[in-house]
């Protein structure tokens, strides 16, 4: 499939139009950024690990009945995806308190709540992707209540499937962010990949972080940790 014009130019992922209108091509770059692009670096081989992880998890979730925009990996660092109408909402599913939730509520990272937490964010970089709720989303016309139910249901299923998978590799799926898109027939599908850039993964025994927090927190060994996460995931997928 040929790559045409750039549709989205983000630091770690670029989206291109494909020559077939039904698809888009996602290219994972070697770059990493946090704090709205204020802190950036290049990690050799990162794009390839991200594409490999997107492929493995995309295929695995498909076998479990999760509908997503992922179609297939088409090169070392590119994947083919179905073109969807993007819904400007993200659900962050949290099994363990970390990151913005810990900061916002003054809770120490690592607390395991008795229930899974689902945070709804409005994707608006200008507004720094604010936390909103279902009623805001409906009032602003981003989705109906039934569509929100569908999105929470997908997030819950993905969480169940991937928590079990990573647990087998001795890794806790702490949280992850999921975006959604609408297919031409109106079906809502998962429209982002689960990678260490969009999810938190902690080693269950040592608590070692295997995700983007290593970069946020200047912990180093980012490439090694991403590779280790991928290898451990792959070993339990076989
Ligand atoms: P938090 O809300 O705690 O900062 O992030 C929750 C989860 O969503 C983390 O796994 C984090 O990596 C992911 N996440 C939050 N914001 C973004 C974002 O703007 N882009 C991406 N790719 N992932 C995000």
């Amino acid at each position: 499939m040929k790559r045409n014009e750039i549709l989205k130019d983000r630091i770690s992922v670029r989206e291109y139009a494909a020559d077939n209108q039904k698809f888009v091509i996602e290219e994972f770059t070697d770059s990493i950024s946090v704090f709205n692009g204020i802190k950036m670096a290049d990690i050799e081989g990162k794009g390839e690990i991200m594409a490999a992880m997107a492929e493995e998890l995309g295929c695995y979730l498909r076998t479990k009945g999760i509908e997503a925009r992922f179609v297939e990996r088409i090169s070392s660092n590119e994947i083919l995806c179905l073109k969807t109408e993007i819904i400007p909402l993200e659900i962050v599913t949290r099994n363990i308190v970390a990151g913005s939730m810990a900061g916002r509520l003054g809770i120490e990272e690592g607390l395991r709540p008795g229930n899974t937490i689902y945070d709804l964010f409005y994707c608006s970089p200008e507004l720094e992707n604010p936390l909103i709720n279902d009623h805001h989303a409906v009032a602003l016309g981003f989705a109906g209540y039934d569509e929100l139910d569908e999105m929470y249901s997908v997030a819950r299923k993905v969480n169940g499937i991937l928590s079990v998978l990573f647990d087998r590799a001795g890794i806790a799926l702490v949280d992850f962010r999921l975006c959604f898109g609408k297919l031409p027939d109106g079906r809502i599908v998962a429209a982002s990949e689960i990678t260490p850039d969009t999810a938190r993964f902690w080693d269950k025994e040592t608590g070692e972080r295997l995700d983007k927090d290593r970069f946020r927190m200047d912990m180093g060994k980012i490439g090694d940790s991403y590779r280790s996460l991928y290898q451990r995931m792959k070993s339990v997928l076989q």
Side-chain angles (χ1 to χ4, degrees):
M1 186 84 55
K2 222 177 92 222
R3 254 172 31 178
N4 291 323
E5 78 273 15
I6 293 184
L7 300 174
K8 278 187 207 145
D9 194 2
R10 286 169 307 205
I11 294 162
S12 54
V13 192
R14 277 190 212 106
E15 187 174 298
Y16 296 85
D19 44 10
N20 181 326
Q21 295 281 309
K22 268 176 61 185
F23 302 104
V24 293
I25 293 169
E26 293 269 310
E27 177 198 26
F28 295 96
T29 72
D30 281 353
S31 303
I32 188 166
S33 78
V34 289
F35 312 132
N36 278 328
I38 291 170
K39 184 174 170 185
M40 280 171 54
D42 279 347
I43 311 288
E44 201 189 332
K46 174 175 177 274
E48 194 167 336
I49 302 169
M50 305 295 272
M53 193 144 173
E55 177 184 32
E56 295 290 346
L57 290 184
C59 293
Y60 184 65
L61 288 171
R62 188 155 54 212
T63 65
K64 300 283 181 187
I66 301 293
E67 281 199 283
R69 67 172 188 162
F70 170 81
V71 178
E72 60 178 347
R73 186 174 176 191
I74 53 171
S75 78
S76 64
N77 69 336
E78 292 171 313
I79 58 170
L80 186 69
C81 296
L82 291 171
K83 190 173 181 177
T84 59
E85 179 195 324
I86 292 296
I87 299 170
L89 299 170
E90 297 172 354
I91 292 178
V92 170
T93 303
R94 300 180 192 274
N95 298 308
I96 300 177
V97 174
S100 71
M101 181 178 170
R104 192 170 48 247
L105 299 179
I107 305 170
E108 221 171 287
E109 286 201 317
L111 178 91
R112 284 177 184 269
N115 55 301
T116 307
I117 291 162
Y118 300 94
D119 280 342
L120 187 67
F121 290 92
Y122 168 33
C123 304
S124 167
E126 309 80 60
L127 298 174
E128 297 186 8
N129 303 330
L131 178 68
I132 60 169
N133 65 31
D134 292 17
H135 309 295
H136 296 158
V138 173
L140 293 167
F142 300 145
Y145 285 109
D146 52 341
E147 291 175 323
L148 286 167
D149 285 348
E150 179 63 24
M151 289 185 244
Y152 286 116
S153 166
V154 173
R156 183 175 48 76
K157 285 183 198 153
V158 169
N159 189 40
I161 295 164
L162 296 190
S163 292
V164 170
L165 175 76
F166 281 99
D167 188 70
R168 292 211 304 265
I171 294 167
L173 176 61
V174 174
D175 58 33
F176 67 92
R177 178 194 78 134
L178 209 53
C179 300
F180 298 88
K182 220 183 257 190
L183 294 175
D185 65 7
R187 269 180 304 149
I188 288 175
V189 296
S192 59
E193 286 63 51
I194 313 276
T195 70
D197 274 2
T198 62
R200 288 192 172 91
F201 299 97
W202 293 354
D203 183 281
K204 284 183 68 186
E205 260 183 34
T206 65
E208 185 189 5
R209 294 171 194 261
L210 302 167
D211 55 66
K212 200 175 177 179
D213 274 349
R214 296 197 72 84
F215 185 60
R216 286 191 188 93
M217 298 174 176
D218 290 321
M219 298 170 88
K221 293 195 179 155
I222 298 147
D224 289 348
S225 297
Y226 277 32
R227 261 183 290 277
S228 157
L229 173 74
Y230 173 70
Q231 293 301 345
R232 289 171 70 175
M233 178 201 78
K234 191 128 168 65
S235 71
V236 292
L237 275 172
Q238 280 160 354

